[in-house]
Amino acid sequence: MNSLDDVSHKRAKLKRHPLGHDGRAVALTDLAKALHDRFQKVAVVADLEEAITLAREALELRPSGHPDRSISLNNLACVLKDRSQKQATMPDLEEAIKLFREALELRPSGHPDRPSSLRHLSVCLSNRYDVMRITTDLEESVSLGRAALELCPPGHSDRGTSLNNLAYCLMGRFQKHAAIQDLEEAIELYREALELRSSGHIDRSSSFHNLAFCLSMRYDDKRVAADLEEAVTLGRAALQLRPAGHPERGISISNLACDLRRKFWMQAEMPDILEEAIELHRAALELRPSGHSDQLSLLHNLSACLLDRYTSQKAATDLEEALTFVCAALELCPPGRPDHGAILKLAEHGVKLAIRYIIPATIPTRLLHTLTGTLCDLEAQISHFTSSQQYNQLLSSCTTCEQDQRMELIHANVSEYFQYAMFSHRWGEGEPSLRDVEGQPIYDMSDTGGFGKLQGFCLAAREEGYMWAWSDTCCIDKDSIFELRRTIGSMFGWYRQSALTIVYLSDVPDTGSFESSEWFRRGWTLQELLAPPRLLFYSKDWSLYKNLTSPNHKTDAAILAELEKATGIDSRTLTDFSPGMTDVRSRLQWASSRRTTRPEDIAYSLFGIFDLNLPVLYGEGDNDALGRLLAAIISQFGDISVLDWVGEASSFNSCFPAHITFYQTLPSPLAPRSDAEEHTLLMGQQPPPSSAALQKLLHSLTEPPLPQILGQRLKLPCIAYHVTAIQLKTADQHASSYTYEVQAAGLRRLEITLRSELENVTMSPDALRLVRPWHRCLLGPPTQLYTTAEEQLFNTLGMPFNALLLTQTHHDSYKRIASSTLITAQPTDTASILQSEVEVLEVV
């Protein structure tokens, strides 16, 4: 008979036993029991409420001395116990305990139902201990549970239930007193109970779950890996027996997730375990809506797992999500709650991880603390910040701000606290290194040489109101090639993000001008001039340059005029410089007159200016360092202006210069004519090209392939002209001057003068090409002079251009020759222009 039919049957029976009928108490008891059974299956609260009402009426019909009073006492206590668990009502639990005690007195030793009364009272006392933490309740629950088990020897139908109840009480006592013998006994009792609950038993999942929980606690105490492995296995078994919709599925998911996190900590090389734990915690949280008693622990545990994964994989999204969950947990657990301290500690851990994530991306790895003169690494920086009032305010704000603002809030606070000044100077003798200043304040050191300069910098930064400062002398571990490479890749950004850059001109007296300072001729100081938003110049005696008190010398009109003259860089660029590929050729020219101590640094100092992230390979030489820089500019941005130079060719690629000094002069094909003169010179008396011919030309030249670097080979899109003849015209060996006359198909005859004689000039002319490197940007923006893009392209192609002379090698590739002179070429006529087409040559 199903529960619905049983209730209907018992309700009909009760109607046949009205008030005053001798069998009414039995009918009430039977209907109450049927409703209680149905509640335990389908959890309809109305069934439980009616069962309580009926059980009370039945108890009233069985006063003291009635032979069945203990049954009614027990029945009413059971339904009250269930309501107390369902609705967390202490009055129901208190009444249930009172009723169970009275029932126990009516069931003396030898009574067949005494084990049941002992067990029920034990469970209720254990439940009251869970809420009120009264130790005597816990001890009595253990004693009663043990007494119940003694009355249920092997083979007794209630032995499994008694084993389980005593184990639960012992587990609670272990959690209270940490007596390992209680936990050991609980494990053995749960094992025996599991053996009695074979496959298909209604309580088998509970046995799996409880035994797994005890083994997890023993693992926490003894760190025996086998306990954790078994706990995970049992947890999975429990979860399989609790499918979707099962009332205990959530707790099984949560406990298994916690065990998997423990296993991850034991075997950190298995990230899949942590992934599963996170997914299980998410699933458990979905089963625990807002207001559920388990939501707090789930938020806490999920946050901890996400922070573990962040620590392992450094995914910022995990960090942001973990902070969201742990802050939500804090809202549910105000100060005074038992778990508040643990959750607050986890929140602080998350915020510290966020700070640790943000600091390296925001400020240099090491900073000088200008108030004390001590050098602080990342840990010391974090320690300073977390000891500040600003950090305490940040923690408070993180728990109340909007989710999408939390990381931004942390970043803003970190950036504000660590506003720092950068140092720019010309290195001299005796500069202090990292090892020289570690562990002692710089203010306690000698005030001469490099130490005195460092002290002057920190004092100047402090006077400007900055607590933190960075110097390239002592804030880098130059013994670590990894750190050195990272620093070189980060320095432009550090200067750009600084609150102030202090430039010390050691060779400029207090009344002098800085135009002749060596600072303007050093390679690294170019980015130190361009990157900072705010900059102050100091003269030799640490007074402000020319005693100018403007807050930013980069916006001071008088100093800007001097800077333009000293650097050749216009004031707008000086005040509003953006790293990247704008005006590449000019940027190379700015660096061309500068020097560095290490030859490779002349290229490395430009990485930030061009916004490139390239490896630093000291020992490769300046040829390869500059070659890699130029190759990256071409490969990533297709800029061929880097090929516009005159001088010695690089061993990296013959189209690149051997030294950056060859960019000092910006080659110009011919003295400029007016647009009208150029047009007349080109067209002469020739008939204008047809519209169709111009459209064909435009189509072929506006979508050329981009140049590429493969290894050290340049794939160069260009308009190539076959050299038909090359002849030595004049030679002056005393003056090292050799003039050649060159003829190429489609180009006007031209002459080139070299300092050395060309090799193999008698080679087949077919091996030589005069080429015009081509990129669609060479067309330039539309102008009012030309009515159509076709006309603009036609006239552009007719103008003189800087040509490269290439000779073919033995492997169908080319090499640039005669790079020491400017070669100016120009098409002969309309026909030669219309025949222009782009081909790709490989140049080594």
Side-chain angles (χ1 to χ4, degrees):
M1 183 181 295
N2 63 41
S3 57
L4 181 61
D5 291 341
D6 191 36
V7 169
S8 298
H9 177 72
K10 297 297 192 305
R11 198 179 295 282
K13 179 182 175 182
L14 180 60
K15 288 182 178 180
R16 294 195 298 271
H17 296 79
L19 288 172
H21 195 286
D22 290 343
R24 184 168 178 80
V26 174
L28 287 166
T29 301
D30 289 346
L31 178 55
K33 185 176 185 306
L35 288 164
H36 189 204
D37 289 343
R38 190 167 73 178
F39 165 77
Q40 291 179 321
K41 292 177 181 178
V42 296
V44 176
V45 176
D47 286 343
L48 185 62
E49 296 294 341
E50 187 180 0
I52 291 173
T53 301
L54 294 170
R56 286 194 189 281
E57 185 179 347
L59 181 61
E60 291 174 0
L61 295 174
R62 291 171 174 175
S64 179
H66 191 285
D68 293 329
R69 181 172 175 80
S70 67
I71 296 174
S72 293
L73 288 167
N74 191 77
N75 290 346
L76 178 56
C78 285
V79 289
L80 287 169
K81 172 173 72 72
D82 281 2
R83 189 167 73 176
S84 73
Q85 291 174 330
K86 178 70 175 178
Q87 301 179 358
T89 53
M90 280 302 297
D92 284 340
L93 183 59
E94 296 288 357
E95 186 179 0
I97 290 173
K98 180 180 177 182
L99 293 169
F100 276 134
R101 287 194 188 281
E102 185 179 347
L104 184 60
E105 291 176 1
L106 297 175
R107 293 172 173 179
S109 179
H111 192 286
D113 292 328
R114 184 171 176 82
S116 173
S117 292
L118 288 167
R119 188 169 60 251
H120 284 309
L121 181 55
S122 174
V123 170
C124 283
L125 289 168
S126 178
N127 290 344
R128 188 167 70 177
Y129 167 76
D130 290 341
V131 177
M132 303 184 68
R133 298 294 169 179
I134 301 172
T135 305
T136 53
D137 282 346
L138 180 62
E139 295 299 333
E140 187 180 1
S141 71
V142 172
S143 299
L144 293 169
R146 202 178 293 283
L149 182 61
E150 289 174 358
L151 296 176
C152 297
H156 194 285
S157 60
D158 289 337
R159 182 167 177 82
T161 304
S162 295
L163 287 165
N164 196 73
N165 287 351
L166 176 56
Y168 181 83
C169 295
L170 288 167
M171 183 172 63
R173 192 164 74 176
F174 168 76
Q175 291 174 312
K176 171 69 175 177
H177 300 297
I180 192 63
Q181 61 270 23
D182 283 340
L183 184 60
E184 300 284 2
E185 185 180 359
I187 290 172
E188 293 309 310
L189 293 170
Y190 276 135
R191 287 195 190 282
E192 185 181 347
L194 182 59
E195 291 176 2
L196 295 174
R197 294 172 170 177
S198 57
S199 179
H201 193 286
I202 189 173
D203 292 325
R204 184 169 174 81
S205 67
S206 296
S207 292
F208 280 136
H209 175 84
N210 293 332
L211 180 54
F213 188 66
C214 284
L215 288 167
S216 297
M217 288 195 292
R218 188 165 73 178
Y219 170 77
D220 290 341
D221 186 75
K222 293 188 172 183
R223 297 293 171 183
V224 177
D227 281 344
L228 185 57
E229 293 290 349
E230 187 180 3
V232 170
T233 301
L234 292 168
R236 292 192 190 282
L239 189 57
Q240 287 180 351
L241 295 175
R242 293 173 170 179
H246 193 286
E248 301 300 325
R249 181 171 175 82
I251 189 66
S252 288
I253 291 174
S254 179
N255 282 12
L256 177 57
C258 289
D259 285 340
L260 288 170
R261 182 180 179 234
R262 290 183 178 93
K263 189 173 180 180
F264 170 77
W265 275 98
M266 182 177 70
Q267 299 172 318
E269 71 280 1
M270 299 177 66
D272 290 348
I273 294 174
L274 186 60
E275 297 293 335
E276 185 181 2
I278 290 172
E279 292 310 308
L280 287 170
H281 276 311
R282 291 192 194 280
L285 195 58
E286 289 180 4
L287 296 174
R288 299 294 189 257
S290 179
H292 194 282
S293 59
D294 289 342
Q295 192 179 53
L296 177 62
S297 62
L298 287 170
L299 289 168
H300 184 194
N301 292 333
L302 179 54
S303 301
C305 284
L306 288 167
L307 290 176
D308 287 343
R309 189 166 71 180
Y310 167 76
T311 303
S312 173
Q313 300 179 12
K314 296 296 184 291
T317 51
D318 284 340
L319 184 56
E320 294 177 19
E321 193 175 13
L323 285 172
T324 297
F325 287 131
V326 76
C327 288
L330 274 177
E331 290 181 10
L332 297 175
C333 189
R337 287 278 299 271
D339 294 331
H340 179 79
I343 298 174
L344 181 61
K345 185 177 180 180
L346 184 66
E348 290 181 354
H349 176 58
V351 172
K352 286 181 180 179
L353 285 176
I355 293 168
R356 189 180 296 275
Y357 168 77
I358 289 169
I359 284 180
T362 308
I363 64 175
T365 308
R366 295 182 183 82
L367 288 172
L368 288 158
H369 190 239
T370 62
L371 303 183
T372 61
T374 56
L375 184 66
C376 296
D377 60 9
L378 177 62
E379 297 303 323
Q381 292 169 18
I382 292 174
S383 177
H384 270 282
F385 182 58
T386 54
S387 301
S388 69
Q389 183 62 34
Q390 191 166 344
Y391 173 72
N392 294 329
Q393 294 171 353
L394 173 62
L395 278 181
S396 176
S397 299
C398 278
T399 61
T400 57
C401 72
E402 294 296 328
Q403 172 183 338
D404 58 351
Q405 297 175 355
R406 193 166 287 116
M407 289 297 287
E408 184 179 340
L409 177 66
I410 296 172
H411 191 284
N413 275 264
V414 168
S415 298
E416 181 182 356
Y417 183 81
F418 287 104
Q419 291 187 78
Y420 58 92
M422 295 287 283
F423 193 28
S424 178
H425 63 113
R426 169 74 175 95
W427 276 54
E429 296 293 329
E431 297 287 357
S433 68
L434 172 69
R435 305 289 176 255
D436 293 328
V437 303
E438 274 185 321
Q440 54 182 326
I442 62 168
Y443 299 136
D444 294 345
M445 300 177 185
S446 168
D447 61 358
T448 60
F451 288 93
K453 180 170 62 172
L454 184 63
Q455 292 169 12
F457 162 59
C458 287
L459 289 171
R462 190 170 74 181
E463 288 173 4
E464 287 294 323
Y466 298 106
M467 187 166 55
W468 303 98
W470 185 89
S471 169
D472 58 355
T473 57
C474 62
C475 294
I476 309 172
D477 184 0
K478 297 179 180 65
D479 295 331
S480 168
I481 187 62
F482 171 79
E483 182 173 332
L484 192 59
R485 289 172 177 171
R486 179 185 177 276
T487 298
I488 287 174
S490 303
M491 265 201 296
F492 185 92
W494 291 345
Y495 277 97
R496 193 163 186 80
Q497 294 166 18
S498 67
L500 169 67
T501 291
I502 289 174
V503 179
Y504 178 61
L505 306 173
S506 59
D507 54 355
V508 176
D510 58 349
T511 58
S513 173
F514 62 31
E515 184 178 348
S516 61
S517 174
E518 183 67 16
W519 187 83
F520 290 102
R521 283 175 281 281
R522 304 305 299 176
W524 285 108
T525 57
L526 178 59
Q527 74 169 5
E528 294 163 15
L529 170 67
L530 294 172
R534 181 177 174 227
L535 185 147
L536 291 176
F537 287 98
Y538 286 79
S539 55
K540 185 176 182 179
D541 65 352
W542 280 104
S543 61
L544 283 168
Y545 178 63
K546 293 187 175 180
N547 294 316
L548 292 170
T549 58
S550 55
N552 185 0
H553 286 171
K554 285 185 78 170
T555 59
D556 185 284
I559 293 185
L560 273 176
E562 291 188 60
L563 286 173
E564 282 190 350
K565 186 177 180 182
T567 63
I569 305 172
D570 65 276
S571 60
R572 183 174 180 179
T573 300
L574 288 169
T575 56
D576 191 24
F577 179 77
S578 295
M581 293 295 154
T582 303
D583 201 5
V584 169
R585 186 59 179 78
S586 293
R587 297 182 184 204
L588 292 169
Q589 187 179 20
W590 300 340
S592 63
S593 60
R594 293 173 178 263
R595 304 184 304 277
T596 56
T597 302
R598 283 183 163 181
E600 297 91 346
D601 278 346
I602 197 63
Y604 300 164
S605 64
L606 298 175
F607 286 178
I609 287 174
F610 288 112
D611 197 21
L612 290 170
N613 184 15
L614 299 175
V616 174
L617 307 171
Y618 280 116
E620 66 177 328
D622 55 346
N623 252 267
D624 284 0
L626 181 59
R628 287 194 300 111
L629 170 67
L630 300 176
I633 292 172
I634 287 179
S635 294
Q636 296 183 31
F637 302 95
D639 195 310
I640 57 174
S641 68
V642 301
L643 307 180
D644 203 1
W645 55 272
V646 172
E648 179 187 351
S650 168
S651 59
F652 185 92
N653 186 283
S654 61
C655 276
F656 294 167
H659 306 287
I660 202 166
T661 53
F662 297 136
Y663 285 116
Q664 195 160 356
T665 302
L666 189 63
S668 178
L670 285 175
R673 297 181 174 88
S674 70
D675 291 320
E677 288 175 329
E678 287 177 347
H679 185 74
T680 301
L681 175 67
L682 177 66
M683 300 300 297
Q685 302 301 317
Q686 301 177 50
S690 68
S691 175
L694 288 175
Q695 288 179 358
K696 180 180 178 182
L697 179 66
L698 181 67
H699 179 74
S700 65
L701 296 186
T702 52
E703 295 296 336
L706 293 175
Q708 294 181 340
I709 288 283
L710 302 176
Q712 295 184 8
R713 294 175 175 266
L714 171 63
K715 301 285 188 179
L716 179 63
C718 59
I719 302 171
Y721 301 89
H722 289 263
V723 174
T724 58
I726 182 168
Q727 182 177 1
L728 180 62
K729 187 175 181 181
T730 61
D732 186 347
Q733 296 183 357
H734 298 289
S736 297
S737 176
Y738 300 86
T739 300
Y740 292 88
E741 185 177 83
V742 182
Q743 296 181 45
L747 294 179
R748 295 182 177 186
R749 188 184 304 242
L750 58 90
E751 292 184 355
I752 57 174
T753 301
L754 307 172
R755 292 183 179 179
S756 59
E757 190 173 2
L758 283 175
E759 297 180 4
N760 302 322
V761 293
T762 59
M763 69 175 71
S764 169
D766 286 341
L768 295 175
R769 302 283 189 276
L770 276 170
V771 303
R772 178 179 196 161
W774 186 254
H775 189 281
R776 62 178 302 174
C777 68
L778 295 177
L779 180 59
T783 66
Q784 295 181 350
L785 177 65
Y786 306 111
T787 57
T788 65
E790 291 87 348
E791 183 183 348
Q792 182 175 350
L793 173 62
F794 179 76
N795 282 276
T796 298
L797 290 173
M799 295 178 186
F801 63 91
N802 294 335
L804 309 182
L805 180 59
L806 305 182
T807 181
Q808 192 169 11
T809 66
H810 299 295
H811 305 289
D812 294 327
S813 57
Y814 290 82
K815 178 180 180 180
R816 183 180 178 183
I817 59 175
S819 61
S820 61
T821 189
L822 178 65
I823 302 176
T824 300
Q826 185 177 20
T828 55
D829 51 27
T830 298
S832 64
I833 296 174
L834 293 176
Q835 291 171 5
S836 300
E837 60 181 25
V838 175
E839 57 181 301
V840 178
L841 301 181
E842 183 178 274
V843 186
V844 296

